Amino acid sequence: MQTHFTIDCVIYSFNEGKLQVLLTERNQYPYKDWWALPGFFVEKEEEMEDAVKRILYEHTGLKDIFMEQLGAFAGVKRHPQGRIMTVAFSTIVKYDDVKSKIRPITSYMKQAKWFAINELPELAFDHNQIIQQSLQKLKYSINYSTAVYELLPEKFTLTQLQQVYEAILDKTLDKRNFRKKIANSGFLKELQEVQKGVSYRAARLYKFDKRKFLKQLGVE
């Protein structure tokens, strides 16, 4: 037996210079054939944490992913069947870590696919609103969380780092000022390595020093 509330998952990654979100193509009504956030009903006797893990796995194939609660959405018109509340969760994954694992396990969804955040299709329910709210939270936390670096590979270029900032903030940043600010931050380690396998001039690689970053925030 099902309860009358659902779980929806906002999953971010970064690839090809773009912030991306994972969507699933629905295979049942309402909104059959529409794209939506991975999500479904919570079972009556199911704990919330267990429901998040189950729904995430069934709809995307992903396991052992930490999900942070974003908030509840309970608009009267958000669901064709009436007021059905959803609790939204969000997370960030490294694209290379999950790209080969994405596949729906349930027949409720046809497929799962990454979409650039500024190229989203029309979405089912109020999922556009949920994504926009999660983006606002991500934007507000950009300077005091490790979110930016969780989107990047372990070794990255300053161009990639700037692209992540610009994608989250939705604006173009001055290259010189950005690099000066980052250089003064003290939590990037310049490596004696450059990019490999690129057709253009290879750029220097860097690593994020999480310990120094947290120390600056007063978190030991």
Side-chain angles (χ1 to χ4, degrees), residues 28-215:
Q28 68 170 25
Y29 295 99
Y31 292 106
K32 188 176 187 295
D33 301 326
W34 283 57
W35 290 96
L37 292 169
F40 204 66
F41 284 94
V42 177
E43 300 294 338
K44 184 178 180 181
E45 303 298 331
E46 192 173 32
E47 296 291 347
M48 181 80 79
E49 290 184 359
D50 294 332
V52 174
K53 292 177 183 178
R54 174 182 61 81
I55 291 167
L56 181 68
Y57 176 67
E58 289 180 349
H59 292 215
T60 70
L62 297 178
K63 295 189 293 184
D64 302 320
I65 304 293
F66 172 75
M67 300 288 293
E68 181 180 12
Q69 187 168 323
L70 174 65
F73 297 79
V76 176
K77 298 181 180 180
R78 70 167 306 273
H79 198 290
Q81 296 177 13
R83 188 193 294 275
I84 296 180
M85 184 184 77
T86 193
V87 180
F89 288 76
S90 64
T91 193
I92 291 172
V93 295
K94 294 186 188 296
Y95 182 82
D96 287 341
D97 290 348
V98 302
K99 63 181 180 181
S100 62
K101 303 175 183 177
I102 303 294
R103 53 182 174 79
I105 308 300
T106 174
S107 61
Y108 294 136
M109 301 295 162
K110 294 181 180 179
Q111 62 174 319
K113 182 180 176 182
W114 292 104
F115 285 84
I117 200 66
N118 58 352
E119 299 172 5
L120 298 179
E122 187 175 3
L123 301 181
F125 308 109
D126 56 352
H127 289 185
N128 268 311
Q129 177 188 346
I130 294 174
I131 291 173
Q132 290 307 311
Q133 183 163 319
S134 70
L135 271 175
Q136 287 300 313
K137 184 176 181 179
L138 188 58
K139 183 182 299 185
Y140 293 147
S141 68
I142 197 169
N143 292 321
Y144 58 86
S145 78
T146 59
V148 168
Y149 300 96
E150 292 168 13
L151 287 163
L152 290 164
E154 182 182 5
K155 301 175 183 179
F156 53 86
T157 68
L158 292 181
T159 295
Q160 290 175 313
L161 179 59
Q162 183 171 340
Q163 287 174 335
V164 173
Y165 270 90
E166 290 179 336
I168 294 173
L169 297 174
D170 193 26
K171 66 179 182 180
T172 302
L173 302 174
D174 179 79
K175 181 177 178 179
R176 180 178 297 181
N177 289 339
F178 176 79
R179 295 197 173 195
K180 182 179 179 180
K181 180 179 178 181
I182 290 298
N184 292 334
S185 67
F187 48 76
L188 284 193
K189 181 181 179 181
E190 183 176 352
L191 305 177
Q192 298 304 311
E193 300 177 49
V194 296
Q195 288 175 299
K196 297 179 180 178
V198 293
S199 58
Y200 46 85
R201 182 181 177 184
R204 178 73 62 184
L205 293 173
Y206 293 79
K207 288 183 71 173
F208 173 56
D209 191 325
K210 185 176 181 180
R211 183 186 63 81
K212 286 185 178 180
F213 178 80
L214 295 177
K215 187 176 181 179

Side-chain angles (χ1 to χ4, degrees), residues 3-20:
T3 58
H4 289 288
F5 76 96
T6 61
I7 296 291
D8 284 307
C9 305
V10 185
I11 306 167
Y12 291 111
S13 192
F14 183 76
N15 185 45
E16 297 180 345
K18 296 181 178 181
L19 181 66
Q20 302 190 352

